[in-house]
Amino acid sequence: MSRARKSTSATLPAALRVEPGNTVGVVGAGQLARMLIEAAIPLDITVRLLAASEGDGAAQVSPHVLIGPPAAYTPLARLAAASSVLTFDHELVDIQVLERLEREGHCLRPSSSTLAIAQDKGRQRRLFSARGLPAPAYAFLREAADVDRFGGTHGWPVVLKAVRGGYDGRGVWMPADAPSAMKLATELLDAGIELLVEERVSIERELAMLVARRPDGECAVYPVVETVQRDGICHEILAPAPVDAALAAEAHRLALDVATAIDVSGIMALELFLSAGKLMINEIATRPHNSGHYTIEGSVTSQFENHLRAVLDWPLGDTGLVAPAVVTANVLAGPETVDLHRNLPAALAVSGVRVHLYGKAPRPGRKVGHVTALGQDPVETRARAVKAAAILANRAPVEAGR
């Protein structure tokens, strides 16, 4: 242990000091960290958290919590000193601070260089282009006139994306035509938002791949799944995706290529578009991902357990499905006040579903939980998951295909 780590650890409260064994520090304390804790318990892994507040979902269920901003050096250094390895449940971090921690001898998985790619859509686009990987045409915007030039070359309408900080439909804009795109680009650029413009491809399906990867390069790849999106938000995950074997093999190849290119340690999610029968890469995440929540009940080894195994450099687990059909339906709060706990018994009455609530206060559009169902028939299994999620959220079930 480096001298810097010893001196920092000596000032820690007893609850945060490093203990013998395997201790994983997690930057962030949302639902992903909460589910990491669940996966850690059977393996006797201690998970320590850096939470923004005591009310964060994972902070509610853990005795090992440090409160502080995720981009500040001091709380990150304290967490790192109390952990065997540092990992993340979001990308809202300062890369320069992470680089400093690495120079001081702390172990970060994924590394600062990998996270720098994950938090920057522009760097991702450059990487995909350099490797000849299929992705929508794009350009960086310096002025609104760049949108007009791009649309003239690649066609209208176009997509505008914030280079950093976007998720769950945030930071992505789909203006209807050239005048509205020009107006919106001007407003966003004037607000200091760095932008990309991309061609708007015709999407047949949105797909996702998960790869667990150890520091030595060993990988375990999960089956390709379909993510059912509405208004830029994932509502359902269908495993396996209803695609042919050749396309699934191509998705597998792309996921391994990207995971190797960014030298990820832990879980990486690759989001894909199926357009005109061909795959195109949308973006990546280097952490457990919403598209992998089905793996808790639906896979031999969940994405959360494999993330912990990977960052600790342990052998990776089997990624196979345990049933012919696995469906997860996200629980999204609507505009009206919803009492999840009051609705829970009725949701649990739906046959064979497993409910996960995140300990988050409902607000419109917020993911507050998910439901997973396993079965033999994809249609019947999906209906059960969607029904239970709708009961929890006081919504009418959305029919398949909508």
Side-chain angles (χ1 to χ4, degrees):
M1 180 179 292
S2 69
R3 185 168 298 179
R5 292 186 69 180
K6 285 183 179 178
S7 62
T8 307
S9 182
T11 66
L12 292 172
L16 282 176
R17 290 179 192 150
V18 176
E19 301 169 353
N22 299 289
T23 305
V24 177
V26 180
V27 179
Q31 66 261 27
L32 299 177
R34 185 169 170 135
M35 288 180 268
L36 278 170
I37 292 171
E38 295 175 14
I41 291 170
L43 301 178
D44 199 24
I45 297 169
T46 299
V47 173
R48 304 191 188 281
L49 305 173
L50 175 59
S53 76
E54 294 179 353
D56 289 354
Q60 296 173 25
V61 299
S62 172
H64 307 296
V65 183
L66 176 67
I67 304 299
Y73 170 76
T74 298
L76 281 166
R78 293 181 67 196
L79 182 66
S83 307
S84 307
V85 60
L86 211 60
T87 193
F88 308 85
D89 92 335
H90 60 67
E91 292 89 16
L92 304 178
V93 290
D94 187 317
I95 296 302
Q96 291 184 331
V97 170
L98 301 186
E99 290 172 343
R100 177 179 173 182
L101 293 174
E102 289 173 327
R103 289 194 300 269
E104 292 171 353
H106 298 293
C107 180
L108 277 60
R109 292 176 179 158
S111 67
S112 62
S113 59
T114 299
L115 279 165
I117 299 170
Q119 68 176 207
D120 188 318
K121 291 183 175 66
R123 294 189 64 166
Q124 292 178 35
R125 285 290 176 252
R126 290 192 185 102
L127 171 71
F128 304 151
S129 295
R131 297 184 73 87
L133 300 175
Y138 75 97
F140 289 93
L141 295 187
R142 295 176 179 83
E143 58 183 7
D146 292 337
V147 179
D148 191 47
R149 285 188 283 269
F150 183 89
T153 301
H154 297 281
W156 300 96
V158 298
V159 180
L160 299 179
K161 289 186 176 182
V163 171
R164 297 179 186 85
Y167 67 97
D168 276 355
R170 299 172 182 87
V172 179
W173 299 270
M174 303 183 72
D177 51 32
S180 56
M182 295 280 288
K183 180 177 183 294
L184 180 58
T186 299
E187 294 171 353
L188 294 170
L189 289 169
D190 287 348
I193 298 173
E194 190 177 358
L195 291 175
L196 290 170
V197 58
E198 293 185 356
E199 65 173 328
R200 191 185 299 188
V201 299
S202 175
I203 301 173
E204 298 167 27
R205 299 183 189 275
E206 296 197 44
L207 306 172
M209 295 291 302
L210 291 175
V211 180
R213 186 174 184 271
R214 291 174 66 182
D216 67 356
E218 178 196 353
C219 292
V221 184
Y222 288 83
V224 62
V225 301
E226 180 175 3
T227 60
V228 179
Q229 308 278 335
R230 301 186 191 99
D231 300 321
I233 299 175
C234 179
H235 283 247
E236 299 161 38
I237 303 103
L238 314 180
V243 298
D244 62 38
L247 194 141
E250 175 66 4
H252 186 287
R253 183 191 69 79
L254 290 173
L256 282 176
D257 193 342
V258 175
T260 301
I262 66 173
D263 194 26
V264 71
S265 292
I267 285 283
M268 184 202 76
L270 179 70
E271 298 180 3
L272 299 160
F273 298 142
L274 178 61
S275 178
K278 296 182 180 180
L279 294 175
M280 303 184 81
I281 297 175
N282 180 23
E283 59 188 55
I284 63 171
T286 54
R287 52 169 170 75
H289 193 255
N290 181 245
S291 66
H293 289 352
Y294 77 93
T295 65
I296 298 174
E297 288 85 22
S299 300
V300 177
T301 312
S302 77
Q303 67 162 339
F304 300 99
E305 181 177 332
N306 260 340
H307 184 75
L308 291 168
R309 290 195 192 194
V311 300
L312 289 168
D313 203 14
W314 291 356
L316 300 175
D318 188 340
T319 57
L321 296 174
V322 299
V326 182
V327 177
T328 289
N330 285 320
V331 180
L332 282 86
E336 298 180 358
T337 301
V338 60
D339 187 336
L340 295 169
H341 296 97
R342 184 188 65 190
N343 296 339
L344 182 58
L348 293 174
V350 179
S351 177
V353 300
R354 297 292 299 275
V355 174
H356 295 258
L357 299 180
Y358 302 156
K360 296 163 69 173
R363 62 171 183 257
R366 193 182 199 189
K367 290 177 186 171
V368 292
H370 73 262
V371 177
T372 298
L374 280 63
Q376 298 295 312
D377 178 70
V379 174
E380 185 275 335
T381 304
R382 184 178 183 181
R384 284 189 286 117
V386 169
K387 179 180 179 180
I391 290 170
L392 283 164
N394 283 345
R395 291 174 179 268
V398 177
E399 295 178 8
R402 292 183 58 192

